[in-house]
Amino acid sequence: MTAGSSANAVGATHAPPTALTIAGSDSGGGAGIQADLRTFFACGVHGMTAVTAVTVQNSLGVEDFAEIPANVVTAQIRAVTGDMGARAAKTGMLATAEIITAVAKTLGDVGIGRDTAVPFVVDPVAASMHGDPLLREEALEAIRTELLPRATLVTPNLDEVRLLTGIEVTDAASRGAATDALLALGPQWVLVKGGHDTGPRCVDLLSDGTTHVELDGPRHDTPHTHGGGDTLASAVTASLAKGADVPTAVREGKRFIERCVADAYPMGGGIGPVSPFWRLDTEA
Ligand code: PXL
């Protein structure tokens, strides 16, 4: 029987928007691909994945990881974009320079990235919350030179800003200098996140060099923020997949992550995950 030929066919005739995450697996389910898919679902988007690495981890940290061969990563991207199509894409943990180079080339081939119809968010994941490395040393340069020129938006925290630009953000002037240095690497928009800063507010700065948007939100007092960066970038990607422009998508993403951090739960003996459960009508 061919698809759709049954007299008893059921199901919706329209599909939700699609979004692709190119990222690593977190066996603890708090970050990485697992956080991305959970967020896409909570935001009403069909998630597709290109897995880059498999981490061995729990709430206490990352014990090890194995990367997926670069040709298998790019084959996943081609398989889903060629058939199902992606309305937006994001990257998380990319593990090696070889994977980054291959992903950047493939995204160009399939028409994803800045100056195309398909927005592309780079979350420049370098380390876990525990400080465990998720990116090989030499891979940062590949993010700078090959991935960022293709990005619609890059979403570094303050540690990633320092790794990418060498600039330590301590005040408004150094934050402005870091934003300029990141924009010079080629992304259309930069979101410098203030989550790793201190103080009662969590202030992020979004800029494309012309438009500057300060996003101010509460800082929730919880140790359980595992997967926070992934969840924010995925929520922004989901909004982009639904057709929002970048400033709107970032505002929606920030509102989403604020609720997820407020609802974060303890799990295991270490750092628990941020929670998108607030979006579901459930007793969970
Ligand atoms: O939150 C960053 C991150 C991304 N991807 C994977 C991770 C982590 C943090 O631990 O494990 C696979």
Side-chain angles (χ1 to χ4, degrees), residues 49-207:
T49 60
V51 180
T52 57
V54 175
T55 70
V56 179
Q57 69 172 300
N58 54 29
S59 73
L60 301 172
V62 179
E63 292 169 19
D64 198 2
F65 72 78
E67 58 251 22
I68 303 296
N71 65 315
V72 179
V73 176
T74 55
Q76 293 172 82
I77 298 171
R78 288 183 195 282
V80 297
T81 57
D83 174 42
M84 301 150 83
R87 296 268 293 271
K90 75 168 280 271
T91 51
M93 175 187 183
L94 291 170
T96 68
E98 195 193 351
I99 291 175
I100 293 164
T101 302
V103 165
K105 177 179 180 312
T106 302
L107 291 178
D109 291 346
V110 302
I112 291 176
R114 68 165 296 176
D115 305 325
T116 76
V118 184
F120 170 45
V121 177
V122 174
D123 182 15
V125 172
S128 77
M129 307 232 45
H130 298 89
D132 306 310
L134 297 171
L135 194 65
R136 306 257 186 247
E137 191 76 22
E138 74 286 359
L140 265 180
E141 186 59 12
I143 291 190
R144 282 190 204 96
T145 59
E146 295 179 60
L147 211 57
L148 292 189
R150 294 194 183 279
T152 309
L153 170 69
V154 60
T155 63
N157 61 34
L158 296 183
D159 295 326
E160 292 155 355
V161 167
R162 182 173 34 74
L163 286 171
L164 287 167
T165 68
I167 297 173
E168 189 86 50
V169 173
T170 51
D171 53 16
S174 51
R175 191 173 65 167
T179 304
D180 290 345
L182 286 162
L183 284 170
L185 295 171
Q188 192 181 346
W189 291 89
V190 170
L191 178 68
V192 173
K193 299 181 292 187
H196 289 197
D197 210 345
T198 51
R201 308 294 298 172
C202 179
V203 181
D204 306 331
L205 184 70
L206 175 69
S207 175

Side-chain angles (χ1 to χ4, degrees), residues 1-23:
M1 191 192 307
T2 55
S5 67
S6 161
N8 297 317
V10 293
T13 52
H14 62 281
T18 51
L20 168 64
T21 173
I22 304 164

